[in-house]
């Protein structure tokens, strides 16, 4: 069809973006449909308009149930079903959705999980091994971050380390082959406080897994690396930054001198991986807070400084997110939106000059904002949470073997989090068995007010998608559920 003739400036591939030339997109789609004989000349204009409207809508609003989209287009069921069938005949329309303002939802999460059949298993209440497993090995944390849901002073007894690490080994050994990114190390608490993390990393690598550790890097010292050489078997080290100077770090973490130490650790790690010619990837996570978008320019300088420590091995990736969570509807004010957009433009210009090899992931909302669309974060509330949750998609396992159903619930002593424990891995009980029992026994968790804070962004996206798919099936659109697969 249109693929061979399309160009990067093709109006169809850009029709979901703000300011798109929709008339030109409709003209191109109409011409393609008639040239291939899919529709007659008389009906082609109306059909082409409907297809472009679908691409525009789902490129911005990926979780819309199909019946709602049909009502928005104001067409009958037969006509809408035909539009859905014709949509797949124009690859540029699909491209427009996947690269539109909401494209990161499609590219990063929805379509990869669709390809694996993960959503189908969750909808069918079929017990399968989770698509991704988070291991939370840290017994403690050296920081007291004011934004963290962790209960102040909560930690695991050191006596749990030996049995906990044996349990983690058993979980690693259970992970099915074929998905190298099926597990990661993170937590409730700092993973590098577990002296067995290196051995667990080596075990995972020996099984063909490529885990990332999410860390604050305060303990990423040469001494730690000497004691735990298996850390070098990780696929990536992703460091959460809590500021760009000692004052910001101390204000956030409560620990004096923490920024200087993290910076020194990262510089030395850069040098060591270069000297060892180790393929491990180094990345950073940074959250843009209201009124602080200008700090992104200082972030570039920080990364450039790390690159200078090992010019042949610059920092590999950066994940930038925004936290405007205080907004009741999840939307930014016009002034905030403009400030962020201008700040991101200045940031990208400086990145192109100082750290041109840096791969940047802006996540869901900031990607949307960068395209010129409104940045609106997905909001799941207790009323739209799923009592059956989604253990087929993701679970988290802590040092005691407790299997948490949401990523932000896996903190020791966190009030209410125990309701989201599906079971415990331990002697005679595997993770597979925990998931099977939870699903086969029809266990459910009735959401309470505030439970949505146990969910991270991934959990919210998965929940929204499953709700959408169920709505599509209930409305008789099961064959086309979810719009894109």
């Amino acid at each position: 069809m249109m693929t061979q003739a399309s160009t990067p400036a093709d109006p169809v591939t850009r029709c979901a973006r703000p300011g798109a030339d929709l008339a030109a997109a409709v003209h191109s789609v109409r011409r393609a449909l008639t040239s291939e004989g899919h529709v007659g000349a008389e009906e082609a204009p109306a059909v082409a308009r409907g297809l472009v409207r679908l691409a525009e809508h789902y490129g911005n609003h990926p979780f819309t149930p199909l019946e709602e989209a049909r009502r928005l287009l104001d067409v009958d069921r037969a006509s809408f079903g035909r539009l859905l069938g014709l949509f797949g005949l124009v690859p540029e329309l699909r491209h427009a959705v996947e690269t539109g303002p909401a494209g990161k939802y499609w590219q990063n999460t929805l379509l990869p999980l669709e390809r694996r059949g993960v959503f189908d298993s969750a909808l069918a209440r079929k017990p399968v091994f989770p698509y991704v497993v988070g291991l939370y090995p840290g017994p403690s944390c050296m920081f007291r971050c004011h934004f963290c849901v962790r209960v102040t002073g909560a930690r695991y007894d050191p006596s749990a380390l030996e049995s906990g690490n044996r349990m983690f080994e058993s979980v690693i050994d259970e992970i099915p082959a074929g998905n190298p990114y099926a597990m990661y190390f993170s937590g409730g608490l700092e993973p590098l406080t577990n002296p067995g993390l290196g051995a667990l990393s080596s075990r995972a690598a020996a099984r063909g897994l490529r885990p990332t550790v999410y860390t604050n890097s305060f303990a990423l010292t040469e001494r730690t690396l000497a004691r735990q050489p298996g850390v070098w078997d990780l696929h990536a080290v992703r460091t959460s930054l809590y500021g760009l100077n000692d004052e910001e770090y101390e204000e956030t973490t409560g620990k004096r001198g923490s920024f200087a130490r993290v910076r020194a650790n990262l510089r030395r790690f850069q040098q060591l991986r270069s000297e060892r010619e180790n393929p491990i990837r180094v990345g950073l996570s940074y959250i843009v807070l209201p009124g602080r978008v200008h700090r992104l320019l200082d972030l570039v300088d920080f990364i450039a400084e790390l690159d200078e420590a090992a010019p042949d091995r610059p920092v590999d990736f950066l994940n930038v997110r925004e936290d405007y969570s205080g907004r009741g509807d999840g939307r930014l004010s016009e002034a905030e939106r403009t400030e962020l957009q201008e700040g991101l433009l200045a940031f990208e210009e400086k990145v192109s000059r100082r750290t041109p090899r840096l791969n940047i992931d802006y996540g869901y909302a900031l990607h949307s904002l960068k395209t010129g669309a409104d940045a609106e974060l997905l909001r799941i509330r207790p009323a739209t949470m799923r009592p059956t949750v989604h253990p087929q998609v993701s679970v988290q396992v802590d040092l005691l073997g407790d299997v948490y159903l949401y990523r932000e619930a896996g903190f020791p002593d966190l009030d209410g989090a125990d309701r989201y424990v599906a079971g415990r891995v331990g002697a005679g009980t595997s993770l597979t068995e925990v998931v099977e029992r939870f699903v086969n026994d029809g266990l459910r968790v009735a959401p309470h007010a505030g439970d949505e804070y146990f969910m991270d962004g991934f959990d919210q996206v998965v929940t929204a998608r499953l709700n959408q798919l169920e709505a599509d099936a209930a409305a008789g659109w099961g064959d086309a559920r979810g719009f894109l697969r």
Side-chain angles (χ1 to χ4, degrees):
M1 294 241 350
M2 297 171 58
T3 305
Q4 293 180 350
S6 64
T7 68
D10 181 84
V12 181
T13 62
R14 301 181 61 83
C15 70
R17 301 189 177 200
D21 188 342
L22 297 182
V26 170
H27 177 75
S28 294
V29 172
R30 178 186 61 77
R31 186 175 55 196
L33 293 173
T34 54
S35 67
E36 295 290 332
H38 296 301
V39 300
E42 291 186 0
E43 63 176 340
V47 170
R49 282 195 297 272
L51 293 176
V52 170
R53 286 185 64 190
L54 277 175
E56 181 188 21
H57 184 83
Y58 279 97
N60 287 273
H61 308 285
F63 303 103
T64 304
L66 287 170
E67 187 61 18
E68 182 179 332
R70 183 187 72 80
R71 291 195 295 267
L72 288 171
L73 265 62
D74 193 23
V75 296
D76 59 34
R77 290 183 64 90
S79 298
F80 188 66
R82 186 173 181 226
L83 285 175
L84 295 177
L86 290 170
F87 192 91
L89 299 178
V90 186
E92 288 76 10
L93 289 169
R94 183 183 181 102
H95 181 81
V97 174
E98 293 182 15
T99 60
K104 289 298 179 181
Y105 287 107
W106 292 109
Q107 295 174 33
N108 289 7
T109 307
L110 302 182
L111 294 177
L113 291 177
E114 286 285 2
R115 285 191 286 268
R116 289 272 181 170
V118 178
F119 292 126
D120 290 329
S121 296
L123 291 172
R125 309 288 194 272
K126 177 182 177 182
V128 297
F129 195 86
Y131 173 76
V132 62
V133 178
L135 300 187
Y136 289 6
S140 63
C141 186
M142 63 289 292
F143 290 167
R144 297 286 188 274
C145 299
H146 59 75
F147 61 83
C148 184
V149 300
R150 169 192 171 201
V151 177
T152 300
R155 59 176 58 212
Y156 296 95
D157 193 292
S159 64
L161 279 168
E162 184 176 353
S163 61
N165 286 342
R166 285 199 304 270
M167 176 273 302
F168 286 137
E169 290 175 353
S170 73
V171 173
I172 291 170
D173 291 346
E174 274 190 84
I175 296 174
N179 179 10
Y181 303 101
M183 64 147 289
Y184 63 95
F185 296 106
S186 185
L189 302 176
E190 169 54 42
L192 285 172
T193 61
N194 186 321
L197 178 67
L200 294 172
S201 302
S202 295
R203 193 179 192 96
R207 293 216 56 238
L209 299 170
R210 306 183 74 184
T212 293
V213 63
Y214 297 73
T215 174
N216 60 39
S217 285
F218 188 85
L220 190 67
T221 62
E222 281 196 75
R223 185 177 182 184
T224 296
L225 295 169
R227 289 180 171 180
Q228 300 197 59
V231 169
W232 292 109
D233 290 327
L234 288 164
H235 171 65
V237 172
R238 175 171 151 177
T239 301
S240 297
L241 293 178
Y242 302 119
L244 293 168
N245 57 46
D246 280 315
E247 292 73 25
E248 288 180 348
Y249 248 73
E250 185 173 353
E251 179 184 347
T252 300
T253 70
K255 197 169 189 68
R256 183 172 298 177
S258 52
F259 172 74
R261 175 159 168 170
V262 169
R263 178 175 58 185
N265 287 348
L266 289 173
R267 283 181 58 85
R268 185 58 181 149
F269 192 77
Q270 286 279 88
Q271 294 168 345
L272 290 172
R273 72 168 181 151
S274 176
E275 293 169 7
R276 298 169 65 101
E277 298 183 349
N278 188 284
I280 192 170
R281 290 167 57 80
V282 169
L284 306 170
S285 294
Y286 186 79
I287 296 176
V288 182
L289 298 174
R292 291 194 175 184
V293 66
H294 64 281
R295 297 293 279 142
L296 285 172
L297 300 181
D298 298 318
L299 175 62
V300 181
D301 292 332
F302 175 75
I303 295 172
E305 178 188 336
L306 296 181
D307 290 350
E308 290 168 2
D312 62 321
R313 295 296 305 278
V315 173
D316 296 287
F317 62 91
L318 169 68
N319 288 45
V320 183
R321 302 292 185 264
E322 54 93 345
D323 183 7
Y324 287 68
S325 54
R327 309 318 190 252
D329 61 358
R331 300 178 71 92
L332 303 178
S333 70
E334 185 63 31
E336 289 170 329
R337 181 171 176 264
T338 300
E339 179 188 42
L340 260 176
Q341 287 176 325
E342 292 176 351
L344 289 173
L345 284 174
F347 168 67
E348 290 200 323
E349 191 278 328
K350 190 168 185 177
V351 165
S352 67
R353 286 189 289 106
R354 298 216 61 194
T355 59
R357 294 167 62 183
L358 183 67
N359 184 286
I360 305 173
D361 185 331
Y362 291 96
Y364 305 126
L366 282 181
H367 174 79
S368 175
L369 188 99
K370 268 171 45 63
T371 67
D374 262 340
E376 182 177 356
L377 288 173
L378 183 66
R379 293 297 177 103
I380 296 294
R381 302 300 188 190
T384 52
M385 292 175 69
R386 301 174 60 79
T388 53
V389 201
H390 45 253
Q392 301 91 340
V393 183
S394 172
V395 298
Q396 293 64 233
V397 187
D398 77 353
L399 194 60
L400 301 179
D402 286 335
V403 179
Y404 288 88
L405 296 166
Y406 289 135
R407 295 186 175 191
E408 295 294 326
F411 290 74
D413 303 332
L414 187 60
D415 187 38
D418 57 340
R419 293 186 298 108
Y420 289 95
V421 174
R424 177 172 285 190
V425 178
T429 305
S430 66
L431 178 55
T432 298
E433 290 168 327
V434 169
V435 173
E436 286 178 347
R437 290 173 186 173
F438 183 86
V439 176
N440 288 335
D441 291 352
L443 299 182
R444 302 168 69 86
V445 184
H448 292 183
D451 280 4
E452 67 270 26
Y453 295 108
F454 293 138
M455 310 170 75
D456 76 345
F458 177 85
D459 289 320
Q460 296 216 16
V461 169
V462 169
T463 299
R465 180 64 167 182
L466 289 171
N467 289 342
Q468 173 191 29
L469 300 180
E470 279 195 342
D472 288 347
W477 297 109
D479 289 344
R481 68 159 198 53
F483 189 64
L484 291 189
R485 298 275 194 84

